[in-house]
Short mmCIF file of all heavy atoms in Angstrom, two decimals:
data_model
loop_
_atom_site.label_atom_id
_atom_site.label_comp_id
_atom_site.label_asym_id
_atom_site.label_seq_id
_atom_site.Cartn_x
_atom_site.Cartn_y
_atom_site.Cartn_z
N VAL A 442 -5.40 12.56 -58.77
CA VAL A 442 -4.37 12.71 -57.74
C VAL A 442 -5.00 12.82 -56.35
O VAL A 442 -4.55 12.18 -55.39
CB VAL A 442 -3.49 13.95 -58.03
CG1 VAL A 442 -2.60 14.26 -56.82
CG2 VAL A 442 -2.63 13.71 -59.26
N LEU A 443 -6.05 13.63 -56.24
CA LEU A 443 -6.74 13.79 -54.96
C LEU A 443 -7.31 12.46 -54.48
O LEU A 443 -7.24 12.12 -53.29
CB LEU A 443 -7.85 14.83 -55.09
CG LEU A 443 -7.41 16.29 -55.23
CD1 LEU A 443 -8.61 17.18 -55.49
CD2 LEU A 443 -6.66 16.75 -53.98
N THR A 444 -7.87 11.69 -55.40
CA THR A 444 -8.44 10.40 -55.05
C THR A 444 -7.38 9.45 -54.52
O THR A 444 -7.59 8.73 -53.54
CB THR A 444 -9.14 9.76 -56.27
OG1 THR A 444 -10.14 10.66 -56.77
CG2 THR A 444 -9.79 8.45 -55.90
N VAL A 445 -6.21 9.45 -55.17
CA VAL A 445 -5.11 8.60 -54.73
C VAL A 445 -4.63 9.02 -53.34
O VAL A 445 -4.31 8.19 -52.49
CB VAL A 445 -3.95 8.63 -55.75
CG1 VAL A 445 -2.72 7.93 -55.18
CG2 VAL A 445 -4.37 7.99 -57.06
N VAL A 446 -4.57 10.33 -53.10
CA VAL A 446 -4.17 10.83 -51.79
C VAL A 446 -5.14 10.37 -50.72
O VAL A 446 -4.74 9.90 -49.64
CB VAL A 446 -4.07 12.37 -51.80
CG1 VAL A 446 -3.88 12.90 -50.38
CG2 VAL A 446 -2.92 12.82 -52.68
N PHE A 447 -6.45 10.48 -51.00
CA PHE A 447 -7.47 10.03 -50.04
C PHE A 447 -7.28 8.54 -49.74
O PHE A 447 -7.37 8.11 -48.58
CB PHE A 447 -8.88 10.26 -50.59
CG PHE A 447 -9.20 11.70 -50.87
CD1 PHE A 447 -10.16 12.04 -51.81
CD2 PHE A 447 -8.56 12.72 -50.19
CE1 PHE A 447 -10.48 13.36 -52.06
CE2 PHE A 447 -8.87 14.05 -50.42
CZ PHE A 447 -9.84 14.37 -51.37
N LEU A 448 -7.03 7.76 -50.78
CA LEU A 448 -6.85 6.32 -50.61
C LEU A 448 -5.60 6.03 -49.80
O LEU A 448 -5.60 5.14 -48.93
CB LEU A 448 -6.76 5.64 -51.98
CG LEU A 448 -6.58 4.11 -51.96
CD1 LEU A 448 -7.74 3.45 -51.23
CD2 LEU A 448 -6.47 3.57 -53.38
N GLY A 449 -4.53 6.78 -50.04
CA GLY A 449 -3.30 6.58 -49.29
C GLY A 449 -3.48 6.83 -47.81
O GLY A 449 -2.98 6.08 -46.97
N VAL A 450 -4.22 7.88 -47.47
CA VAL A 450 -4.51 8.18 -46.06
C VAL A 450 -5.31 7.06 -45.43
O VAL A 450 -5.05 6.63 -44.30
CB VAL A 450 -5.26 9.52 -45.94
CG1 VAL A 450 -5.73 9.74 -44.50
CG2 VAL A 450 -4.37 10.67 -46.39
N SER A 451 -6.30 6.56 -46.17
CA SER A 451 -7.15 5.48 -45.67
C SER A 451 -6.35 4.21 -45.44
O SER A 451 -6.50 3.54 -44.42
CB SER A 451 -8.29 5.20 -46.66
OG SER A 451 -9.14 4.18 -46.19
N VAL A 452 -5.46 3.87 -46.38
CA VAL A 452 -4.61 2.67 -46.24
C VAL A 452 -3.68 2.83 -45.04
O VAL A 452 -3.50 1.88 -44.25
CB VAL A 452 -3.79 2.42 -47.52
CG1 VAL A 452 -2.78 1.31 -47.29
CG2 VAL A 452 -4.71 2.05 -48.68
N GLY A 453 -3.10 4.01 -44.87
CA GLY A 453 -2.20 4.26 -43.76
C GLY A 453 -2.87 4.06 -42.41
O GLY A 453 -2.29 3.44 -41.50
N LYS A 454 -4.08 4.54 -42.27
CA LYS A 454 -4.81 4.36 -41.01
C LYS A 454 -5.16 2.90 -40.78
O LYS A 454 -5.15 2.41 -39.65
CB LYS A 454 -6.07 5.23 -41.01
CG LYS A 454 -5.79 6.72 -40.93
CD LYS A 454 -7.07 7.53 -40.83
CE LYS A 454 -6.77 9.01 -40.68
NZ LYS A 454 -8.00 9.83 -40.58
N LEU A 455 -5.48 2.20 -41.87
CA LEU A 455 -5.84 0.79 -41.74
C LEU A 455 -4.67 -0.06 -41.29
O LEU A 455 -4.83 -1.00 -40.50
CB LEU A 455 -6.36 0.27 -43.09
CG LEU A 455 -6.83 -1.19 -43.12
CD1 LEU A 455 -8.08 -1.35 -42.27
CD2 LEU A 455 -7.12 -1.63 -44.54
N MET A 456 -3.48 0.27 -41.74
CA MET A 456 -2.30 -0.53 -41.40
C MET A 456 -1.97 -0.49 -39.92
O MET A 456 -1.30 -1.37 -39.40
CB MET A 456 -1.09 -0.04 -42.20
CG MET A 456 -1.20 -0.29 -43.70
SD MET A 456 -1.38 -2.05 -44.10
CE MET A 456 -1.40 -1.97 -45.90
N THR A 457 -2.43 0.53 -39.21
CA THR A 457 -2.16 0.64 -37.77
C THR A 457 -3.38 0.26 -36.93
O THR A 457 -3.34 0.37 -35.72
CB THR A 457 -1.76 2.09 -37.42
OG1 THR A 457 -2.82 3.00 -37.76
CG2 THR A 457 -0.50 2.49 -38.17
N GLU A 458 -4.41 -0.24 -37.58
CA GLU A 458 -5.66 -0.50 -36.86
C GLU A 458 -5.52 -1.63 -35.85
O GLU A 458 -6.17 -1.63 -34.81
CB GLU A 458 -6.77 -0.85 -37.85
CG GLU A 458 -8.15 -0.98 -37.22
CD GLU A 458 -9.25 -1.07 -38.25
OE1 GLU A 458 -9.19 -0.33 -39.24
OE2 GLU A 458 -10.17 -1.87 -38.06
N SER A 459 -4.69 -2.63 -36.13
CA SER A 459 -4.55 -3.77 -35.22
C SER A 459 -3.98 -3.35 -33.87
O SER A 459 -4.07 -4.09 -32.89
CB SER A 459 -3.66 -4.84 -35.84
OG SER A 459 -2.38 -4.34 -36.12
N GLU A 460 -3.37 -2.16 -33.80
CA GLU A 460 -2.79 -1.68 -32.55
C GLU A 460 -3.83 -0.99 -31.68
O GLU A 460 -3.54 -0.62 -30.55
CB GLU A 460 -1.65 -0.70 -32.87
CG GLU A 460 -0.54 -1.30 -33.73
CD GLU A 460 0.48 -0.27 -34.17
OE1 GLU A 460 0.35 0.90 -33.73
OE2 GLU A 460 1.39 -0.61 -34.94
N GLU A 461 -5.03 -0.82 -32.17
CA GLU A 461 -6.06 -0.11 -31.41
C GLU A 461 -6.65 -1.00 -30.33
O GLU A 461 -6.67 -2.22 -30.44
CB GLU A 461 -7.16 0.39 -32.37
CG GLU A 461 -6.64 1.43 -33.36
CD GLU A 461 -7.75 2.00 -34.22
OE1 GLU A 461 -8.92 1.58 -34.04
OE2 GLU A 461 -7.46 2.86 -35.05
N GLN A 462 -7.15 -0.36 -29.29
CA GLN A 462 -7.68 -1.07 -28.13
C GLN A 462 -8.97 -1.80 -28.47
O GLN A 462 -9.82 -1.29 -29.19
CB GLN A 462 -7.93 -0.07 -27.00
CG GLN A 462 -8.39 -0.72 -25.70
CD GLN A 462 -8.51 0.31 -24.59
OE1 GLN A 462 -7.82 1.32 -24.60
NE2 GLN A 462 -9.41 0.07 -23.64
N LYS A 463 -9.13 -3.01 -27.92
CA LYS A 463 -10.31 -3.82 -28.15
C LYS A 463 -11.33 -3.61 -27.03
O LYS A 463 -10.99 -3.15 -25.93
CB LYS A 463 -9.95 -5.30 -28.24
CG LYS A 463 -8.89 -5.63 -29.30
CD LYS A 463 -9.37 -5.34 -30.71
CE LYS A 463 -8.32 -5.76 -31.74
NZ LYS A 463 -8.73 -5.48 -33.12
N CYS A 464 -12.56 -3.99 -27.31
CA CYS A 464 -13.66 -3.87 -26.35
C CYS A 464 -13.39 -4.72 -25.11
O CYS A 464 -12.84 -5.82 -25.21
CB CYS A 464 -14.96 -4.31 -27.03
SG CYS A 464 -16.41 -4.34 -25.95
N ALA A 465 -13.80 -4.23 -23.93
CA ALA A 465 -13.53 -4.93 -22.66
C ALA A 465 -14.54 -6.03 -22.35
O ALA A 465 -14.37 -6.78 -21.40
CB ALA A 465 -13.52 -3.91 -21.51
N TYR A 466 -15.58 -6.16 -23.16
CA TYR A 466 -16.63 -7.14 -22.91
C TYR A 466 -16.10 -8.57 -23.05
O TYR A 466 -15.41 -8.89 -24.01
CB TYR A 466 -17.78 -6.92 -23.89
CG TYR A 466 -18.95 -7.86 -23.72
CD1 TYR A 466 -19.98 -7.56 -22.83
CD2 TYR A 466 -19.04 -9.03 -24.46
CE1 TYR A 466 -21.06 -8.40 -22.69
CE2 TYR A 466 -20.12 -9.88 -24.33
CZ TYR A 466 -21.12 -9.56 -23.45
OH TYR A 466 -22.19 -10.41 -23.31
N ASN A 467 -16.44 -9.45 -22.08
CA ASN A 467 -15.97 -10.84 -22.15
C ASN A 467 -16.94 -11.83 -21.53
O ASN A 467 -16.54 -12.86 -21.01
CB ASN A 467 -14.60 -10.97 -21.46
CG ASN A 467 -14.66 -10.62 -19.97
OD1 ASN A 467 -15.71 -10.23 -19.47
ND2 ASN A 467 -13.55 -10.77 -19.29
N ALA A 468 -18.24 -11.52 -21.58
CA ALA A 468 -19.23 -12.41 -20.95
C ALA A 468 -19.55 -13.61 -21.83
O ALA A 468 -19.30 -14.75 -21.48
CB ALA A 468 -20.50 -11.63 -20.62
N GLU A 469 -20.13 -13.37 -23.00
CA GLU A 469 -20.46 -14.48 -23.91
C GLU A 469 -19.26 -14.90 -24.73
O GLU A 469 -19.16 -16.04 -25.18
CB GLU A 469 -21.58 -14.05 -24.86
CG GLU A 469 -22.90 -13.77 -24.17
CD GLU A 469 -23.89 -13.19 -25.17
OE1 GLU A 469 -23.77 -12.01 -25.50
OE2 GLU A 469 -24.79 -13.94 -25.60
N TYR A 470 -18.37 -13.97 -24.97
CA TYR A 470 -17.17 -14.20 -25.76
C TYR A 470 -16.20 -13.07 -25.46
O TYR A 470 -16.57 -12.06 -24.85
CB TYR A 470 -17.49 -14.21 -27.27
CG TYR A 470 -18.39 -13.07 -27.71
CD1 TYR A 470 -17.89 -11.79 -27.88
CD2 TYR A 470 -19.75 -13.27 -27.93
CE1 TYR A 470 -18.70 -10.73 -28.26
CE2 TYR A 470 -20.58 -12.22 -28.30
CZ TYR A 470 -20.05 -10.96 -28.48
OH TYR A 470 -20.86 -9.92 -28.84
N ASN A 471 -14.98 -13.21 -25.85
CA ASN A 471 -14.00 -12.12 -25.72
C ASN A 471 -14.16 -11.21 -26.92
O ASN A 471 -13.76 -11.56 -28.02
CB ASN A 471 -12.58 -12.68 -25.65
CG ASN A 471 -12.33 -13.45 -24.37
OD1 ASN A 471 -12.78 -13.06 -23.31
ND2 ASN A 471 -11.61 -14.55 -24.48
N CYS A 472 -14.76 -10.05 -26.71
CA CYS A 472 -15.11 -9.17 -27.83
C CYS A 472 -13.86 -8.57 -28.47
O CYS A 472 -13.05 -7.93 -27.81
CB CYS A 472 -16.04 -8.06 -27.36
SG CYS A 472 -16.60 -7.00 -28.71
N ASN A 473 -13.73 -8.82 -29.77
CA ASN A 473 -12.61 -8.26 -30.53
C ASN A 473 -12.98 -6.98 -31.27
O ASN A 473 -12.22 -6.52 -32.11
CB ASN A 473 -12.09 -9.30 -31.52
CG ASN A 473 -11.36 -10.43 -30.85
OD1 ASN A 473 -10.48 -10.21 -30.03
ND2 ASN A 473 -11.74 -11.67 -31.15
N ASN A 474 -14.17 -6.44 -30.98
CA ASN A 474 -14.56 -5.18 -31.61
C ASN A 474 -13.65 -4.04 -31.17
O ASN A 474 -13.05 -4.09 -30.08
CB ASN A 474 -16.00 -4.82 -31.24
CG ASN A 474 -17.01 -5.52 -32.11
OD1 ASN A 474 -16.67 -6.25 -33.02
ND2 ASN A 474 -18.29 -5.29 -31.83
N LYS A 475 -13.58 -3.03 -31.97
CA LYS A 475 -12.78 -1.85 -31.66
C LYS A 475 -13.45 -1.06 -30.53
O LYS A 475 -14.64 -0.73 -30.61
CB LYS A 475 -12.65 -0.98 -32.91
CG LYS A 475 -11.72 0.21 -32.77
CD LYS A 475 -11.83 1.14 -33.97
CE LYS A 475 -11.57 0.39 -35.26
NZ LYS A 475 -11.67 1.30 -36.44
N ALA A 476 -12.72 -0.78 -29.48
CA ALA A 476 -13.27 -0.02 -28.35
C ALA A 476 -13.33 1.47 -28.71
O ALA A 476 -12.50 1.97 -29.47
CB ALA A 476 -12.42 -0.22 -27.11
N ARG A 477 -14.33 2.15 -28.16
CA ARG A 477 -14.44 3.59 -28.35
C ARG A 477 -13.64 4.27 -27.25
O ARG A 477 -14.06 4.36 -26.10
CB ARG A 477 -15.91 4.02 -28.29
CG ARG A 477 -16.82 3.23 -29.21
CD ARG A 477 -16.43 3.38 -30.66
NE ARG A 477 -16.60 4.73 -31.14
CZ ARG A 477 -16.46 5.09 -32.40
NH1 ARG A 477 -16.11 4.18 -33.30
NH2 ARG A 477 -16.65 6.33 -32.78
N VAL A 478 -12.44 4.72 -27.58
CA VAL A 478 -11.53 5.32 -26.60
C VAL A 478 -11.55 6.83 -26.75
O VAL A 478 -11.52 7.37 -27.87
CB VAL A 478 -10.10 4.78 -26.81
CG1 VAL A 478 -9.15 5.39 -25.79
CG2 VAL A 478 -10.09 3.26 -26.73
N ASP A 479 -11.64 7.52 -25.62
CA ASP A 479 -11.67 8.99 -25.60
C ASP A 479 -12.80 9.52 -26.49
O ASP A 479 -12.63 10.51 -27.23
CB ASP A 479 -10.33 9.57 -26.06
CG ASP A 479 -9.19 9.18 -25.14
OD1 ASP A 479 -9.44 9.07 -23.93
OD2 ASP A 479 -8.06 9.01 -25.63
N ASP A 480 -13.93 8.86 -26.44
CA ASP A 480 -15.10 9.23 -27.23
C ASP A 480 -16.18 9.77 -26.29
O ASP A 480 -16.69 9.03 -25.44
CB ASP A 480 -15.62 8.01 -28.00
CG ASP A 480 -16.66 8.38 -29.05
OD1 ASP A 480 -17.38 9.38 -28.85
OD2 ASP A 480 -16.76 7.66 -30.06
N GLU A 481 -16.52 11.04 -26.43
CA GLU A 481 -17.50 11.65 -25.54
C GLU A 481 -18.88 10.99 -25.66
O GLU A 481 -19.63 10.95 -24.69
CB GLU A 481 -17.63 13.14 -25.85
CG GLU A 481 -16.37 13.94 -25.54
CD GLU A 481 -16.54 15.42 -25.81
OE1 GLU A 481 -17.63 15.81 -26.26
OE2 GLU A 481 -15.58 16.18 -25.58
N LYS A 482 -19.18 10.47 -26.83
CA LYS A 482 -20.47 9.82 -27.03
C LYS A 482 -20.52 8.45 -26.35
O LYS A 482 -21.57 7.98 -25.94
CB LYS A 482 -20.75 9.67 -28.52
CG LYS A 482 -22.15 9.19 -28.83
CD LYS A 482 -22.39 9.15 -30.33
CE LYS A 482 -23.81 8.65 -30.65
NZ LYS A 482 -24.04 8.60 -32.11
N TYR A 483 -19.36 7.80 -26.23
CA TYR A 483 -19.28 6.47 -25.60
C TYR A 483 -18.20 6.51 -24.51
O TYR A 483 -17.14 5.91 -24.68
CB TYR A 483 -18.94 5.40 -26.65
CG TYR A 483 -19.94 5.33 -27.78
CD1 TYR A 483 -19.68 5.97 -29.00
CD2 TYR A 483 -21.12 4.61 -27.65
CE1 TYR A 483 -20.60 5.91 -30.03
CE2 TYR A 483 -22.04 4.54 -28.69
CZ TYR A 483 -21.77 5.19 -29.89
OH TYR A 483 -22.68 5.14 -30.91
N PRO A 484 -18.47 7.18 -23.39
CA PRO A 484 -17.46 7.29 -22.33
C PRO A 484 -17.20 5.95 -21.65
O PRO A 484 -18.02 5.03 -21.72
CB PRO A 484 -18.10 8.29 -21.36
CG PRO A 484 -19.57 8.15 -21.58
CD PRO A 484 -19.73 7.87 -23.04
#
C-alpha cells in the first residue's frame, strides 16, 4: 500500500510537469530543460 501511495504521488507530480517553466537559454538552441525556479542553489 505504501509503495502504491509513493507511486501515486510521483505520477501526480509528473502529470503537471509540462506546466513548469523552461530554461531561458536560447543561443545554440531553445533550451527545453526544466528551469530551476526559486532555487537558492541556482538563483
Side-chain angles (χ1 to χ4, degrees):
V442 169
L443 288 174
T444 303
V445 171
V446 170
F447 299 155
L448 181 59
V450 172
S451 181
V452 172
K454 290 184 177 180
L455 182 67
M456 293 301 182
T457 60
E458 187 169 319
S459 59
E460 302 173 4
E461 295 185 359
Q462 184 175 332
K463 304 296 184 180
C464 176
Y466 181 87
N467 62 357
E469 295 173 284
Y470 46 77
N471 291 321
C472 184
N473 288 310
N474 277 358
K475 186 189 305 181
R477 308 299 295 187
V478 181
D479 298 326
D480 191 330
E481 294 182 359
K482 188 176 180 181
Y483 302 97

